[in-house]
């Protein structure tokens, strides 16, 4: 296949091929939550989440700049909570990803120490305050300083791989 280049000399990568190839790398599924000023739970489903640093404790997630859910979270303030979904929470993942309003209708949660929603049944949760925002193409890199964290009620994590949800079974 011939390589075409942009004006910078960088190769042009077809977005469909990029997504297909990177789909071979499984990711965990998290829901990032916060409360708006009126106390309504906000959230967005994220597949690009990672630990960054132990000292200081930092994590990161990478939302699409054009996401209305990301805009609402950003406008809610600097604090957020990352909920690592369990294998049995695909319905939660889909509901938060698809609903435009009232995302937490029929999804149970309790407040974190910082007041953010901790989703019932999550494998773990990480309460954070935004440390840095970086532009990265059509996404942002949100680096959060960990304030509180804990294992949750869930058993095994929900994974996303090649367009499907699944779970992890250790050898």
């Amino acid at each position: 296949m011939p390589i075409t280049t942009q004006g910078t000399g960088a190769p042009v990568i077809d977005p469909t091929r990029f997504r297909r190839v990177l789909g071979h790398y499984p990711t965990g599924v998290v829901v990032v939550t916060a409360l708006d000023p009126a106390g309504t739970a906000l959230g967005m489903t994220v597949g690009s989440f990672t630990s960054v640093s132990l000292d200081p404790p930092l994590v990161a997630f990478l939302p699409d700049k054009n996401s209305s859910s990301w805009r609402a979270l950003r406008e809610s303030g600097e604090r957020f909570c990352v909920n690592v979904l369990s294998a049995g929470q695909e319905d939660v993942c889909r509901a938060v990803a698809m609903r435009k309003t009232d995302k937490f209708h029929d999804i149970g949660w309790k407040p974190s120490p910082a007041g953010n929603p901790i989703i019932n049944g999550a494998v773990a949760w990480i309460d954070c305050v935004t440390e840095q925002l970086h532009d990265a193409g059509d996404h942002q890199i949100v680096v959060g300083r960990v304030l509180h964290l804990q294992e949750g009620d869930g058993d095994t994590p929900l994974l996303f791989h090649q367009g499907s949800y699944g779970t992890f079974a250790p050898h």
Side-chain angles (χ1 to χ4, degrees):
M1 171 184 289
I3 296 176
T4 57
T5 60
Q6 301 169 339
T8 62
V12 175
I13 304 294
D14 173 59
T16 303
R17 182 170 184 232
F18 183 82
R19 183 176 289 230
R20 187 180 69 246
V21 170
L22 283 136
H24 288 278
Y25 182 70
T27 62
V29 183
V30 302
V31 170
V32 178
T33 62
L35 293 177
D36 72 9
T40 303
L42 304 171
M44 72 180 298
T45 300
V46 176
S48 49
F49 168 76
T50 189
S51 62
V52 175
S53 169
L54 290 174
D55 186 19
L58 301 173
V59 295
F61 70 98
L62 290 76
D64 185 314
K65 287 180 184 177
N66 295 318
S67 164
S68 58
S69 296
W70 168 231
R71 183 171 40 262
L73 281 167
R74 197 174 57 241
E75 290 171 357
S76 73
E78 298 295 313
R79 295 183 186 264
F80 61 90
C81 186
V82 178
N83 292 263
V84 180
L85 297 185
S86 70
Q89 292 184 303
E90 184 178 338
D91 58 334
V92 171
C93 169
R94 290 182 185 279
V96 173
M98 300 301 283
R99 293 178 186 162
K100 294 295 180 192
T101 60
D102 200 17
K103 290 184 180 229
F104 287 85
H105 172 77
D106 74 0
I107 297 173
W109 63 273
K110 62 187 178 222
S112 71
N116 298 306
I118 298 172
I119 298 171
N120 295 346
V123 171
W125 58 267
I126 304 113
D127 230 358
C128 302
V129 63
T130 301
E131 178 95 356
Q132 299 172 3
L133 284 174
H134 302 279
D135 279 333
D138 57 2
H139 282 62
Q140 286 192 306
I141 301 170
V142 182
V143 178
R145 180 178 291 262
V146 177
L147 303 174
H148 310 278
L149 72 164
Q150 187 168 317
E151 292 92 354
D153 306 327
D155 204 6
T156 57
L158 180 64
L159 299 179
F160 188 74
H161 180 251
Q162 293 186 327
S164 298
Y165 293 97
T167 190
F168 172 75
H171 292 273

